[in-house]
Amino acid sequence: MAASLPQKPGMAGMPSQQQPHLPPSAASAPGQQPMPPQGALREISPVFLCRIGQETVQDIVTRTMEIFQITRATQLPNGVTQSQAMYQDRFGKLQEHLRQLALLFRKLRLLYERCVEMTSDLQEGPAEILPYVGEELVSVKVEPCSSAVNQERKEVLEKVRQKNQEMKVLMDQMRNLLWDVNAMLTLRK
């Protein structure tokens, strides 16, 4: 995933996982306007910080996938002696990935806090977001439905119950079939 991202200027020789954590003004993607100098950190837009945050999240996902691949490839000690050097190598890789993940999460937290700080005037309070806060609910009188509407509702509910029952039967059949296939594959090994 991270390999498909464009390289940042000044870091072309470094792999994407080994890039140092630069301030947001030091990194820019090709095709965008050049970033302001170090002194103009206040001029960086929250949109740019969000983009850096998105790239950081992609790096986090990539690192996590690599950790899972390493652990999946690691064989449990089931009486077979493997090379101690191989285990030490994998353990070192796992430690490095976990260290990098911790750094990426710290970077993401800093980006988040900076975005919240920059957009604090744009955020609405919870009272403005939630409807009916502090207001009394007015009871609405519901008129009784006609008998034709009630009959149609009952028919639709019955059809839904029948379809649900059919789907349950199909799911049970599929589950049994999968159990049989897995049992056959296990016996074949």
Side-chain angles (χ1 to χ4, degrees):
M1 265 185 202
S4 64
L5 294 174
Q7 289 288 331
K8 294 176 179 63
M11 296 186 222
M14 298 178 75
S16 61
Q17 288 85 7
Q18 302 288 331
Q19 293 174 358
H21 297 288
L22 299 174
S25 64
S28 72
Q32 288 189 348
Q33 56 186 339
M35 289 309 302
Q38 287 280 353
L41 282 179
R42 290 278 180 205
E43 303 301 321
I44 295 175
S45 71
V47 174
F48 182 71
L49 290 178
C50 289
R51 179 164 182 204
I52 294 173
Q54 179 183 8
E55 292 172 358
T56 305
V57 168
Q58 289 174 342
D59 287 343
I60 288 171
V61 169
T62 303
R63 289 264 180 206
T64 306
M65 288 174 51
E66 290 172 3
I67 288 173
F68 285 129
Q69 288 172 354
I70 291 171
T71 54
R72 188 179 341 146
T74 303
Q75 208 174 19
L76 293 175
N78 55 1
V80 179
T81 54
Q82 292 285 329
S83 168
Q84 187 69 17
M86 182 177 64
Y87 281 119
Q88 290 299 326
D89 181 49
R90 286 186 180 160
F91 183 73
K93 286 181 184 177
L94 280 174
Q95 291 296 327
E96 177 62 23
H97 283 305
L98 291 172
R99 188 182 68 75
Q100 288 293 326
L101 267 177
L103 291 174
L104 288 171
F105 274 112
R106 276 192 228 130
K107 177 181 176 183
L108 188 62
R109 184 60 167 170
L110 290 173
L111 288 169
Y112 169 77
E113 289 171 353
R114 182 76 173 136
C115 282
V116 167
E117 178 184 307
M118 292 175 74
T119 59
S120 61
D121 56 334
L122 301 176
Q123 295 176 353
E124 297 176 354
E128 297 171 1
I129 295 174
L130 298 175
Y132 307 117
V133 172
E135 298 176 13
E136 283 188 34
L137 294 177
V138 179
S139 62
V140 178
K141 226 178 200 183
V142 179
E143 297 178 16
C145 297
S146 67
S147 61
V149 172
N150 283 333
Q151 181 63 28
E152 184 180 351
R153 181 180 179 272
K154 287 178 185 177
E155 290 172 5
V156 169
L157 284 175
E158 186 58 36
K159 284 181 183 178
V160 168
R161 281 190 198 104
Q162 288 174 353
K163 290 291 182 183
N164 284 344
Q165 187 62 33
E166 290 173 16
M167 287 175 51
K168 184 182 181 306
V169 169
L170 284 173
M171 288 189 306
D172 289 340
Q173 289 174 349
M174 290 298 294
R175 187 178 300 115
N176 290 335
L177 181 64
L178 285 173
W179 274 99
D180 292 343
V181 168
N182 285 336
M184 287 182 206
L185 287 174
T186 304
L187 291 175
R188 198 169 83 176
K189 291 179 183 180

